[in-house]
Amino acid sequence: VTITVQDPFSSHLFTIEPQSGIFEGDNFTIRCTVQMSSLIPSDTKTELTITKGTTLITKSVTGEAKISKKATADDTGQYTCHAKWKETLKIIEKQVTVAVPVSKPSLSSTAFNSIVAQGDRVQLTCAVVRGSWPIIYTFYKGTPENSLHQSILNATAGVYIIPSADTADSGEYFCRAENNAGVKHRCERSQNININVKVPVSKPKVYLVISRTHYEIGKRISIRCHSTNGSSPVTYSLFLNRRFIHSVKNCTTEPAVFNILINNTKDGGVYKCKAENEILNSSKYSEGINFTVMVPVSTPLLFPLLNSTKAHLGENVTLHCTASTGTLPITYTLYRKHSRLTA
């Protein structure tokens, strides 16, 4: 006796179109088909199911199960085509990978308000919210022809580092992010950001235009403050005994000039100046200069000790000479007619 066992399915096909390079938003079709053997009655119903993992996607008994849709990132996964007739079950599995186009990248830097101190380390980061790996990150300065750095990463961000910034690194930067799937290519460009490399101010020097150790009330004096190094604009601030007086923003390399009117003795003391530019926490103070304010003596008053202008011959007479105002010490000199008297 000869027993022949024959497969009830003459063909069992599982196709995915397109076969590769499926991008999010593309149309794709998953089709599961079966043809029965000629030995099986033509009106036989065969159950076809398509599942993703353990989730049922579609079912049919017409000889074909099919889904057509726009691809999303969630469609990535393992798909299975099941063909079942009575106790016979055939399974075909295929992997579907939906490539996600890169989103528009965002470029950021470690610079505070786009300002970087000369010599500082600067990091530029080109980041995307979405995109299938690998992603190509390219950094540019100025124009698309001036590429600085390129990296191919399985990551949502690429980095470019300037280890020690110089003024030549100032300018406009942007980046591009791109990925591939089959013959398709997606590329997005970031916004532009500016990097301004500034030279920190040097320790300023403060000095009097006309140098003296003391000045009189009512006089005008000029104090100058200057840093030999530092990117403009530089803000110079004047302090008296640690009390802020006035500030000047200077857009040139010339010294800042502070004109002071001496009104009282409190205008004397230690003057210092502070220089700072747009670099964060880069201010520097000068050494101090010191002068005193002299109050001119008022017209002196001469009078005898006794309230009388008459004296007897041989009698001692005491005269008092006093000034109501004037910075001490005050030197008094007594004259008789036009002759200076000595003790």
Side-chain angles (χ1 to χ4, degrees):
V1 176
T2 301
I3 299 176
T4 302
V5 178
Q6 186 170 345
D7 190 341
F9 306 124
S10 62
S11 68
H12 180 204
L13 301 175
F14 190 30
T15 59
I16 298 173
E17 294 293 338
Q19 295 181 9
S20 63
I22 304 175
F23 262 89
E24 189 177 50
D26 290 349
N27 291 316
F28 81 108
T29 300
I30 300 177
R31 182 182 285 108
C32 179
T33 61
V34 68
Q35 286 186 348
M36 303 302 291
S37 168
S38 59
L39 298 177
I40 305 298
S42 59
D43 60 348
T44 299
K45 302 295 184 181
T46 303
E47 183 180 278
L48 295 174
T49 58
I50 299 175
T51 60
K52 179 190 174 196
T54 59
T55 303
L56 176 65
I57 303 299
T58 187
K59 180 187 290 188
S60 174
V61 293
T62 63
E64 179 184 78
K66 182 179 76 169
I67 60 166
S68 294
K69 66 190 298 278
K70 285 189 178 295
T72 68
D74 293 336
D75 292 323
T76 295
Q78 188 79 14
Y79 289 78
T80 305
C81 170
H82 304 258
K84 183 178 181 181
W85 179 71
K86 294 185 178 181
E87 302 302 321
T88 303
L89 176 66
K90 277 199 169 184
I91 296 174
I92 302 176
E93 293 183 337
K94 285 196 174 184
Q95 174 69 30
V96 172
T97 301
V98 178
V100 180
V102 289
S103 58
K104 181 180 176 68
S106 175
L107 183 62
S108 61
S109 79
T110 54
F112 180 78
N113 288 338
S114 301
I115 304 297
V116 177
Q118 186 181 47
D120 279 1
R121 179 182 182 272
V122 184
Q123 177 174 303
L124 300 177
T125 302
C126 185
V128 296
V129 176
R130 310 177 71 219
S132 295
W133 298 344
I135 299 175
I136 304 171
Y137 297 96
T138 309
F139 293 83
Y140 301 86
K141 179 174 182 280
T143 65
E145 292 75 31
N146 187 20
S147 64
L148 303 171
H149 175 70
Q150 186 177 89
S151 56
I152 303 174
L153 302 171
N154 291 332
T156 56
V159 170
Y160 171 62
I161 294 175
I162 304 172
S164 180
D166 198 359
T167 53
D169 295 313
S170 295
E172 197 170 64
Y173 291 79
F174 66 93
C175 73
R176 281 178 173 159
E178 52 194 302
N179 61 2
N180 293 279
V183 296
K184 294 188 177 182
H185 181 85
R186 306 294 173 99
C187 180
E188 295 287 346
R189 172 174 168 161
S190 74
Q191 85 284 12
N192 295 340
I193 65 170
N194 284 308
I195 299 293
N196 294 312
V197 181
K198 301 283 188 177
V199 178
V201 293
S202 57
K203 182 176 180 177
K205 180 181 179 182
V206 64
Y207 57 95
L208 291 158
V209 176
I210 300 175
S211 181
R212 294 179 182 174
T213 57
H214 63 271
Y215 290 90
E216 295 180 356
I217 287 180
K219 297 293 185 180
R220 286 188 177 273
I221 63 171
S222 291
I223 298 176
R224 293 189 178 183
C225 183
H226 186 230
S227 289
T228 55
N229 294 321
S231 298
S232 61
V234 177
T235 299
Y236 294 98
S237 300
L238 187 66
F239 296 83
L240 169 59
N241 299 327
R242 298 184 178 182
R243 178 173 56 89
F244 172 76
I245 302 297
H246 186 58
S247 65
V248 173
K249 181 176 282 190
N250 202 340
C251 295
T252 70
T253 57
E254 297 298 315
V257 179
F258 299 91
N259 293 310
I260 308 284
L261 175 63
I262 304 297
N263 288 314
N264 54 58
T265 55
K266 292 182 179 180
D267 292 330
V270 178
Y271 284 82
K272 289 185 178 182
C273 82
K274 179 178 73 171
E276 57 189 334
N277 55 13
E278 296 172 309
I279 301 174
L280 187 67
N281 300 323
S282 66
S283 60
K284 290 184 174 63
Y285 285 84
S286 70
E287 299 294 335
I289 57 171
N290 189 12
F291 63 83
T292 57
V293 174
M294 304 291 289
V295 179
V297 292
S298 59
T299 301
L301 177 64
L302 181 65
F303 58 91
L305 180 61
L306 298 176
N307 190 18
S308 173
T309 57
K310 295 181 180 180
H312 297 287
L313 185 65
E315 184 181 359
N316 289 328
V317 176
T318 301
L319 300 176
H320 280 257
C321 183
T322 182
S324 60
T325 59
T327 300
L328 300 176
I330 299 175
T331 301
Y332 292 93
T333 305
L334 186 64
Y335 293 85
R336 183 173 181 273
K337 295 186 178 180
H338 296 292
S339 297
R340 178 175 179 175
L341 301 179
T342 58

